[in-house]
Amino acid sequence: MQSRILGKSGLALSEIGLGCWQLGGDFGPISEQDSLAILEQAYQSGVRFYDTADVYGAGLSESVLGKFYQQHQDITIATKIGRDGSLYPNSYTKKGLQQGIEASLQRLGCDSVKLIQLHCIPFEVMQDGEIFTWLQDFKQQGLIEHYGASVESMDEAKLCLNDPQLTSLQLIINLFRQEALAEVLPLAAVNQVGIIARLPYASGLLSGAVTAQRQFAETDHRNYNRDGAAFHVGETFAGLPLEKALCLVEQLTPFLPNDLALAECAIRWLLDQPQITSVITGASKPQQIQKNAAYAGHPPLPRVFHDRLADFYQQQVSPWVRGNR
């Protein structure tokens, strides 16, 4: 597993990171033993970057990661803040944000957070700019080492890039959501802001895990958020209507080289973008993260294949994607 430097921070992140939403039980019950097994397999596979949030399982994900961190203090944990009901959507205060960070620190068992990220907070709050001043103060105080933002749209990403101290942007970017390549990644490179790519498989579409027959639990966002009823539509199936997305997967598959599976292509395509520092993949079983980590070692895709994927996106996928702006 190779590592890359995250923007201006100097932090070295493994090319594959582990997303830890599932460790909070929000996709269905998961035991602490199973959670720790997933984390350990990720570590044995070379993963050194773990992404969580205070709202994942109401802090449970952070607590499990905290126990794991006591045994593996060479990992980098990034957490997110700003979606808890005490703050979201319109109760943001410096004191409330600080209390939230301190609660995360307690669960993680850390003295300071290496990377704190605003967690898809309202555009208007970011536009006001005061929240970035608070983060700068927390950084100066030593409460956090670096800060970034997890965003859902191109406009939000570009707004965040106005902050000269911003370390990272976490974006929804994958084969079915490519706008950031032209709109955000070049600006991020100029500003020395690292890119953390999330949802590389577009909620399972690009891993082959989603079929027309697949049934999702009531607690799974792929069931209740297909059209953005609960949160941003782009977080589920990359903002594509499921039926259309499944058709697009069928159209895309013949493009692949004979020796390349769709999941491998999805990960390698992201890592071929030099501005991307790490790709966050989720896993509900240890063998899933083992496979994801292995994909990072594959050679880059041919340039002609990148061009074909770009054309396919512009002509076939882009008109159907919702929630870009």
Side-chain angles (χ1 to χ4, degrees):
M1 177 73 68
Q2 299 295 311
S3 63
R4 301 182 183 186
I5 301 299
L6 182 68
K8 61 178 76 72
S9 71
L11 292 174
L13 306 186
S14 53
E15 289 184 333
I16 297 296
L18 180 66
C20 297
W21 187 2
Q22 75 283 7
L23 305 188
D26 296 315
F27 293 90
I30 183 169
S31 68
E32 181 176 301
Q33 181 180 4
D34 287 344
S35 293
L36 290 172
I38 292 169
L39 292 169
E40 184 61 35
Q41 181 60 69
Y43 187 86
Q44 295 303 324
S45 299
V47 173
R48 296 295 183 269
F49 176 48
Y50 298 77
D51 179 82
T52 186
D54 60 352
V55 292
Y56 294 167
L60 177 59
S61 177
E62 287 183 330
S63 296
V64 173
L65 260 174
K67 292 182 179 181
F68 184 73
Y69 176 68
Q70 300 311 309
Q71 305 300 319
H72 301 286
Q73 297 200 6
D74 58 333
I75 66 174
T76 296
I77 298 174
T79 193
K80 300 186 289 292
I81 191 169
R83 293 290 292 196
D84 181 85
S86 64
L87 299 171
Y88 184 86
N90 54 12
S91 298
Y92 293 92
T93 65
K94 185 176 183 179
K95 181 179 180 180
L97 200 68
Q98 180 171 340
Q99 289 175 338
I101 293 173
E102 289 172 345
S104 289
L105 285 174
Q106 186 173 12
R107 288 188 290 267
L108 291 169
C110 303
D111 294 327
S112 68
V113 179
K114 287 187 178 179
L115 177 63
I116 195 82
Q117 303 161 98
L118 297 176
H119 194 181
C120 302
I121 68 173
F123 183 85
E124 295 77 16
V125 177
M126 291 189 290
Q127 192 173 39
D128 173 80
E130 193 172 17
I131 198 165
F132 292 105
T133 302
W134 301 340
L135 290 170
Q136 290 164 14
D137 288 346
F138 297 154
K139 182 179 177 181
Q140 188 172 12
Q141 295 166 17
L143 188 64
I144 61 177
E145 295 184 26
H146 306 281
Y147 66 85
S150 179
V151 299
E152 293 165 322
S153 72
M154 297 301 95
D155 289 345
E156 291 170 350
K158 287 183 276 191
L159 173 64
C160 290
L161 286 171
N162 291 327
D163 180 2
Q165 292 196 40
L166 191 82
T167 285
S168 64
L169 277 174
Q170 188 177 134
L171 304 174
I172 306 170
I173 178 171
N174 53 57
L175 290 174
F176 281 172
R177 202 175 181 88
Q178 297 187 22
E179 284 77 15
L181 266 65
E183 293 195 36
V184 174
L185 266 59
L187 291 173
V190 170
N191 292 324
Q192 292 184 287
V193 172
I195 298 295
I196 300 169
R198 76 173 186 276
L199 299 177
Y201 293 139
S203 306
L205 287 169
L206 298 170
S207 70
V210 177
T211 65
Q213 293 73 40
R214 176 78 180 270
Q215 298 293 314
F216 299 103
E218 289 186 10
T219 56
D220 193 318
H221 70 97
R222 292 173 292 183
N223 179 25
Y224 63 79
N225 193 59
R226 292 186 185 186
D227 296 312
F231 42 82
H232 194 273
V233 69
E235 300 281 358
T236 305
F237 301 131
L240 290 166
L242 179 56
E243 293 75 15
K244 181 62 181 179
L246 291 170
C247 292
L248 290 169
V249 170
E250 290 186 9
Q251 292 176 256
L252 177 60
T253 302
F255 282 13
L256 305 179
N258 292 333
D259 60 344
L260 195 66
L262 181 56
E264 299 172 74
C265 177
I267 297 296
R268 191 63 250 175
W269 178 83
L270 286 165
L271 291 176
D272 285 352
Q273 317 302 328
Q275 297 94 335
I276 291 178
T277 304
S278 186
V279 178
I280 295 173
T281 62
S284 57
K285 299 177 181 178
Q287 56 267 36
Q288 290 174 323
I289 187 61
Q290 187 176 23
K291 288 182 179 179
N292 293 336
Y295 295 155
H298 291 199
L301 302 172
R303 182 70 257 172
V304 64
F305 188 50
H306 275 279
D307 292 341
R308 292 178 68 186
L309 290 171
D311 289 343
F312 177 79
Y313 178 77
Q314 289 299 328
Q315 296 172 20
Q316 303 297 330
V317 183
S318 181
W320 293 93
V321 176
R322 299 168 292 179
N324 277 327
R325 303 313 326 162

